[in-house]
Amino acid sequence: MFIELVKGVALLLALCFLHGFNIRVWRQHPRTGQVFSGILFGTICVVGMLTPVVLMPGVIFDARSVVLSMAGLFGGPLVACIAAAMAATGRLWLGGAGAEVGLMVIALCTALGLVYREGRARGRLGVEPVTLALFGLLLHTAVLAVFQLLPTEVVQRVNQTLALPFLLTFTPATVALGLLLHDVEERLATERALHGTAARLRAIAQAIPDVLLVLDAQGRYVEVLSPDDAPLAASPAQLVGKRMHDVLPAEQADRFVELIRSTLLSGQTQSVEYEMQTLSGTRQFEGRAQPLGVKVGGQAAVVFLARDITQRKRAESALRESELRFRSLLRNIPSISVQGYLEDGTTSYWNQASEELYGYTAEEALGSNLLDLIIPPPMRDAVREHVRHMFATAEVIPAGELQLQRKDGTPVHVFSSHAYIRVPGHPPEMFCIDIDISGRKAAEDEARYLAFYDALTQLPNRRLLVDRLQQVLASGARSGLTTAVLFVDLDNFKTLNDTRGHEVGDLLLKEVALRLRGCVREQDTVARLGGDEFVVVLQNLSSDPPEAAAQARTLGELILAQLRQPYDLAGHEHHFTASIGVTLLREHRDSVDEVLKQADMAMYRAKDAGRNTLRFFDPDMQQAVNRRALLETELHNGLRQSQFLLLYQPQVNAQGRVTGAEALVRWQHPAHGMVPPSEFIPLAEESGLILPLGYWVMETALRQQARWRLDPAMAHLSLAINVSARQFLQEDFVAQVLALLQRTGADPAHIKLELTESLLLDNVDSVIATMRALKAQGLGFSLDDFGTGYSSLSYLKRLPLDQIKIDQGFVRDVLLDPSDAAIARSIIALASSLGLDVIAEGVETAAHHQFLLAHGCKAFQGYLFGRPMALENFERVAREVLGPEGTSS
């Protein structure tokens, strides 16, 4: 029987081994491991029941009590329940008279094991041999007590033959199995702790930016850990197992080996700085060697931490260089004075710029007191208080502009900033950084003056004039007195500039300014707007409008008289006049801009009146200006909305046949109807809109001529197109015309450009060059309104003209005014002598026609032959008249 019980103990030992193996296998899946442990404990119980100690049929004894109690103690509820279920199943399968008692034993052992586990979890029970022995004795005593429920004869036999061996065998077995399972448990816990520690160490080693080396006493690489390979002499796989002499230069390797041995000998951490060639180039390192404390491969070893300090070294080097540069810069920086002072005002630093700014050499300044050096006496008490407060509180004196003094006592304007410096081991210092702003202050004063005064005449400029006018308007509204504003413009000032130069023109402007100031009272204002324009503001005139106007006129006449006096300019006598516009401010409701505009308009009215005179502003004048501005806006809209059209006025020969037409532009306004050319053409000239308008006229006319070119009945017609001076003088005018000819397909031989004599005012040579360039392409030229402009016979001889046009002003009165008749005859004769065609415009009666025919004119245009008409009407008229071949069209 004892041998059978020992066999049960052997099963328990096998259980320990298998349990430990199972837990390791399922370490990552603990719940699965518990299930398999339960199965393992249950299997051992079943195997034990298959080879039991059989007391009598149906009554068996085995080691299930030990197994199930340990399953509850070390496995927990899940393991214990699985094992108990398997054991109960096996016992029921074996059957017999002791089956019920056997089930009770299974439940009892499982429950006591779980109770023991709970006591252990609460810290009241341990897993020591004595505790296990007491538990085993208690457990198996309880089992024997349960056996007392068997039949009497079986109980007697158990008590006599089995009780003592049972207690003596399974109590120690419980101790042994408990200790073995506890050992398995501890070893697994140790393994988990070691595994966690190893993981933490690996993570720490990887997180450390330094290189970690384990080196033995011979300088062999045992282990290499580094976040990357860049700071290593070779990759870790190439280093491990090699000696330093195999990788590093011999001298450097010897140095490291000596460091390792010194560290091992002293047992203390040792540091070293070195430079090494790595995979990322030459780097600098700071190394620390620490004895490892255990041998590796039979050799003492050290842990070596190498930190890359290349950037730090570079930064230190850069800092040293920067400090050197800063000291040199501070000493030699131009224009910025730097001084240092101690708490009592003693000078501790004085750079070269301070020497130049204040006049003291460094030898003179160092050791002297701030107050005595550069602080003017009135400022000394305030500066002394500021310095005391700064050293007491470390609060920096606010930066600002100061007027200090030089060694010679002259003042100097500086912008002064301050810094409080405290260096350990040294007394605190105050540094002053001063920048000389004397030049800037002078420039500011000059700029302030120039912002309000004219640099040439020293008179108030537009800005100051506007300011004073605003004040005058405000005060005049309160007092009820009248203010007059006179706009003075010199006549023909441009001529002086062009002939004598701007220097002489400036002399005139200065003299005019002096004369204007001499004409007004102290309370009045004379200002220069620019160029040759001046404004005089007369204040506190009479509250009665007529009387105020008389006062303004009296002063205006005085100004005109003074400005008419001769001027001695650069040794030459000159005579000049001026035009003056006057506006009176009675109710003071107008803005400054409006007042100046009114005076300006009045001045132009004086210009129109012949100059050298004075005119007052009239509200009707303002209405005309407003209408002109509105018309300009509508002119823009008219171009965008295609409100313009071309009319065609026939041109005929001596036989009355239509030889061509003049294209005349008209504005069909949607609200005002047909706007006369006399209203919108001058406005287009002044506003610059004549350029897009002229381009449209040119393109439209050329397209029409190209269509006539394809019609045999109309192909012989020429077309005259008016070109404004501004349009003709464009730099790309030739290119524009040629491009239009090519795009439209018009015949240049049947195109005649009509020019006015105003073209000849400036740059005649350029005009002639443009005409010749276009004439070379086949275009013809006609001089319009001849005799009314500024052309001379010399110009007429040079111009490459084809035709002269007699102005209608001469034609209308040829029968009434002998002078006009003589002019018409002279123009016809002159054109004939120069080989030019001549055409008369404005022919309205047959008498006019006969007179011109009699004196040699062969081409005509006027109401007698047709008014300007729409294209359809013109073409109908042209077809009704005999063509050039003498056939009826």
Side-chain angles (χ1 to χ4, degrees):
M1 181 183 297
F2 181 76
I3 297 301
E4 297 299 331
L5 295 176
V6 171
K7 289 179 181 180
V9 172
L11 285 174
L12 299 180
L13 297 176
L15 171 64
C16 291
F17 172 75
L18 293 173
H19 176 64
F21 176 76
N22 175 70
I23 292 177
R24 289 188 181 88
V25 169
W26 298 105
R27 180 181 300 159
Q28 302 300 325
H29 306 281
R31 182 64 66 180
T32 303
Q34 287 182 338
V35 172
F36 276 94
S37 291
I39 295 172
L40 182 60
F41 276 91
T43 301
I44 295 298
C45 289
V46 173
V47 171
M49 286 188 288
L50 293 176
T51 57
V53 176
V54 180
L55 187 60
M56 56 188 311
V59 180
I60 62 174
F61 293 86
D62 54 56
R64 84 186 87 142
S65 59
V66 178
V67 174
L68 292 173
S69 63
M70 292 301 102
L73 174 59
F74 291 102
L78 179 59
V79 175
C81 289
I82 293 173
M86 290 179 66
T89 303
R91 185 65 188 88
L92 287 173
W93 179 74
L94 290 175
E100 292 182 3
V101 173
L103 292 175
M104 294 175 64
V105 169
I106 290 171
L108 175 65
C109 294
T110 302
L112 289 176
L114 292 173
V115 170
Y116 192 173
R117 180 181 179 87
E118 182 65 20
R120 183 186 177 194
R122 296 188 178 185
R124 296 178 181 177
L125 297 175
V127 189
E128 293 86 16
V130 175
T131 307
L132 286 171
L134 292 174
F135 174 73
L137 182 60
L138 175 62
L139 172 66
H140 291 96
T141 300
V143 171
L144 288 176
V146 174
F147 284 168
Q148 304 306 308
L149 299 176
L150 291 170
T152 305
E153 62 274 16
V154 177
V155 172
Q156 289 178 355
R157 191 170 177 183
V158 168
N159 293 337
Q160 290 175 1
T161 61
L162 191 61
L164 185 58
F166 183 77
L167 290 173
L168 294 177
T169 302
F170 286 114
T171 297
T174 302
V175 175
L177 182 59
L179 292 176
L180 289 172
L181 290 175
H182 183 55
D183 181 63
V184 170
E185 187 180 64
E186 287 187 334
R187 279 190 285 111
L188 290 174
T190 301
E191 287 179 7
R192 284 194 294 271
L194 289 174
H195 180 74
T197 301
R200 287 194 298 275
L201 289 175
R202 280 194 299 273
I204 291 170
Q206 291 297 323
I208 293 176
D210 302 336
V211 177
L212 189 150
L213 306 174
V214 178
L215 306 168
D216 65 15
Q218 303 303 317
R220 182 175 286 101
Y221 292 94
V222 177
E223 190 168 357
V224 178
L225 294 175
S226 175
D228 55 67
D229 296 350
L232 301 175
S235 66
Q238 294 173 325
L239 291 176
V240 173
K242 290 187 178 180
R243 297 177 67 251
M244 286 188 163
H245 287 82
D246 300 331
V247 179
L248 304 178
E251 182 179 350
Q252 193 171 47
D254 289 340
R255 183 182 175 193
F256 277 117
V257 171
E258 178 61 30
L259 174 69
I260 292 169
R261 292 174 178 171
S262 175
T263 301
L264 292 173
L265 183 63
S266 65
Q268 301 295 322
T269 301
Q270 298 200 34
S271 301
V272 63
E273 288 188 4
Y274 60 94
E275 184 177 273
M276 188 175 76
Q277 186 67 29
T278 68
L279 294 176
S280 61
T282 303
R283 312 291 293 179
Q284 291 178 304
F285 295 89
E286 179 183 66
R288 292 172 61 85
Q290 170 72 31
L292 184 59
V294 296
K295 291 186 176 182
V296 179
Q299 293 278 341
V302 299
V303 175
F304 187 82
L305 280 175
R307 172 164 296 178
D308 189 341
I309 59 172
T310 306
Q311 294 299 327
R312 191 186 80 190
K313 286 293 186 181
R314 290 175 182 171
E316 290 175 354
S317 176
L319 183 61
R320 286 193 297 272
E321 294 175 3
S322 175
E323 184 178 0
L324 181 61
R325 285 195 298 270
F326 176 74
R327 288 181 178 274
S328 176
L329 176 67
L330 200 63
R331 174 62 187 163
N332 301 310
I333 186 171
S335 306
I336 299 180
S337 166
V338 182
Q339 320 114 50
Y341 301 100
L342 300 179
E343 186 173 2
D344 61 358
T346 301
T347 307
S348 59
Y349 186 82
W350 195 265
N351 71 349
Q352 288 183 359
S354 300
E355 295 179 349
E356 297 173 3
L357 180 60
Y358 294 112
Y360 295 97
T361 65
E363 291 76 12
E364 293 173 323
L366 294 176
S368 299
N369 192 276
L370 161 68
L371 301 177
D372 299 330
L373 285 175
I374 60 176
I375 306 301
M379 294 175 54
R380 288 177 182 174
D381 290 341
V383 170
R384 185 182 293 110
E385 178 58 27
H386 281 306
V387 172
R388 185 201 63 76
H389 182 76
M390 182 172 179
F391 278 93
T393 64
E395 293 181 8
V396 176
I397 300 173
E401 295 182 5
L402 300 175
Q403 181 176 306
L404 305 180
Q405 67 179 15
R406 296 186 176 93
K407 180 180 180 180
D408 60 7
T410 58
V412 56
H413 289 275
V414 299
F415 184 84
S416 186
S417 303
H418 309 85
Y420 181 73
I421 305 298
R422 180 184 291 274
V423 178
H426 297 274
E429 291 179 278
M430 175 185 71
F431 279 84
C432 299
I433 300 94
D434 296 343
I435 301 175
D436 185 1
I437 59 171
S438 300
R440 193 197 79 190
K441 295 292 286 187
E444 286 177 354
D445 292 341
E446 182 179 2
R448 192 177 297 109
Y449 179 82
L450 293 178
F452 295 99
Y453 289 89
D454 175 53
L456 177 65
T457 62
Q458 312 305 311
L459 293 177
N461 61 11
R462 175 181 286 271
R463 178 181 294 181
L464 185 55
L465 171 66
V466 169
D467 181 68
R468 290 190 179 177
L469 271 176
Q470 289 173 339
Q471 296 178 22
V472 167
L473 290 173
S475 63
R478 292 191 299 269
S479 65
L481 298 177
T482 303
T483 298
V485 176
L486 284 67
F487 200 107
V488 182
D489 185 270
L490 300 180
D491 297 329
N492 301 318
F493 176 72
K494 183 177 183 298
T495 303
L496 177 67
N497 268 343
D498 292 343
T499 56
R500 296 295 309 279
H502 291 282
E503 294 80 2
V504 176
D506 290 346
L507 293 175
L508 173 63
L509 294 175
K510 291 180 180 178
E511 180 63 27
V512 169
L514 288 174
R515 294 186 185 187
L516 288 175
R517 276 197 293 242
C519 292
V520 300
R521 301 163 298 176
E522 186 70 26
Q523 61 186 326
D524 299 327
T525 298
V526 179
R528 182 190 175 203
L529 290 188
D532 60 337
E533 296 177 338
F534 297 84
V535 171
V536 179
V537 180
L538 305 178
Q539 300 183 57
N540 300 330
L541 300 181
S542 173
S543 58
D544 178 54
E547 184 177 351
Q551 293 171 340
R553 178 178 292 278
T554 299
L555 183 62
E557 296 292 350
L558 174 62
I559 291 175
L560 289 174
Q562 288 295 320
L563 295 183
R564 281 195 295 266
Q565 297 300 315
Y567 297 85
D568 183 6
L569 305 176
H572 293 80
E573 183 177 294
H574 292 270
H575 293 268
F576 283 93
T577 60
S579 299
I580 301 178
V582 185
T583 184
L584 298 179
L585 283 65
R586 298 183 182 91
E587 298 179 358
H588 302 281
R589 293 177 180 177
D590 296 325
S591 67
V592 170
D593 288 340
E594 192 66 28
V595 168
L596 292 176
K597 189 184 300 181
Q598 292 172 2
D600 187 41
M601 284 189 289
M603 181 272 295
Y604 276 106
R605 189 175 176 186
K607 292 276 189 186
D608 294 340
R611 311 189 182 202
N612 188 26
T613 187
L614 175 150
R615 288 291 183 272
F616 281 82
F617 171 76
D618 186 347
D620 293 338
M621 186 189 308
Q622 180 69 55
Q623 292 179 5
V625 170
N626 292 343
R627 185 175 186 280
R628 185 182 184 86
L630 178 61
L631 191 63
E632 182 176 345
T633 301
E634 293 178 337
L635 191 59
H636 279 278
N637 295 333
L639 280 171
R640 285 198 301 269
Q641 299 171 9
S642 302
Q643 296 174 3
F644 291 89
L645 54 87
L646 285 185
L647 299 181
Y648 299 85
Q649 186 170 27
Q651 294 179 338
V652 302
N653 59 15
Q655 292 75 36
R657 298 193 185 101
V658 176
T659 58
E662 180 181 2
L664 300 170
V665 64
R666 294 294 186 266
W667 183 7
Q668 185 66 45
H669 194 283
H672 306 309
M674 197 72 74
V675 180
S678 59
E679 287 192 26
F680 72 84
I681 292 296
L683 179 59
E685 289 274 7
E686 293 177 14
S687 64
L689 292 175
I690 195 66
L691 298 180
L693 179 60
Y695 187 88
W696 177 84
V697 169
M698 177 83 67
E699 182 179 23
T700 305
L702 290 180
R703 289 192 186 280
Q704 184 56 50
Q705 199 282 327
R707 286 191 285 270
W708 288 346
R709 187 178 185 182
L710 302 177
D711 185 348
M714 309 290 288
H716 68 284
L717 297 179
S718 64
L719 188 60
I721 304 171
N722 289 286
V723 179
S724 75
R726 189 166 184 175
Q727 183 182 5
F728 190 85
L729 294 174
Q730 293 178 97
E731 291 184 1
D732 62 340
F733 180 70
V734 174
Q736 282 186 29
V737 174
L738 297 182
L740 284 175
L741 285 171
Q742 183 176 7
R743 188 162 69 245
T744 61
D747 182 4
H750 287 80
I751 299 297
K752 194 178 276 87
L753 303 183
E754 292 197 1
L755 310 178
T756 60
E757 294 186 37
S758 59
L759 267 176
L760 308 178
L761 288 176
D762 297 303
N763 204 353
V764 176
D765 293 333
S766 175
V767 171
I768 294 173
T770 301
M771 293 177 67
R772 286 177 176 169
L774 292 174
K775 195 170 182 62
Q777 302 298 321
L779 281 89
F781 288 95
S782 176
L783 188 61
D784 197 9
D785 301 335
F786 183 74
T788 62
Y790 308 94
S791 60
S792 66
L793 293 180
S794 63
Y795 287 163
L796 191 63
K797 182 178 66 174
R798 294 173 59 194
L799 295 175
L801 293 170
D802 297 278
Q803 185 183 68
I804 294 177
K805 204 167 193 180
I806 304 175
D807 183 73
Q808 61 183 347
F810 301 132
V811 172
R812 284 197 187 99
D813 294 332
V814 292
L815 302 177
L816 303 175
D817 190 336
S819 297
D820 286 348
I823 291 173
R825 290 194 299 270
S826 299
I827 292 174
I828 296 171
L830 176 65
S832 176
S833 64
L834 292 176
L836 302 175
D837 294 333
V838 63
I839 183 172
E841 65 176 345
V843 181
E844 299 180 353
T845 67
H848 290 141
H849 181 215
Q850 291 301 320
F851 175 87
L852 293 168
L853 269 175
H855 290 88
C857 184
K858 301 177 181 180
F860 307 92
Q861 177 181 340
Y863 287 177
L864 179 63
F865 307 102
R867 293 173 177 270
M869 60 188 73
L871 176 65
E872 297 80 3
N873 295 336
F874 171 77
E875 290 182 340
R876 179 173 49 77
V877 170
R879 293 177 190 277
E880 290 174 353
V881 181
L882 288 176
E885 304 298 328
T887 60
S888 179
S889 57

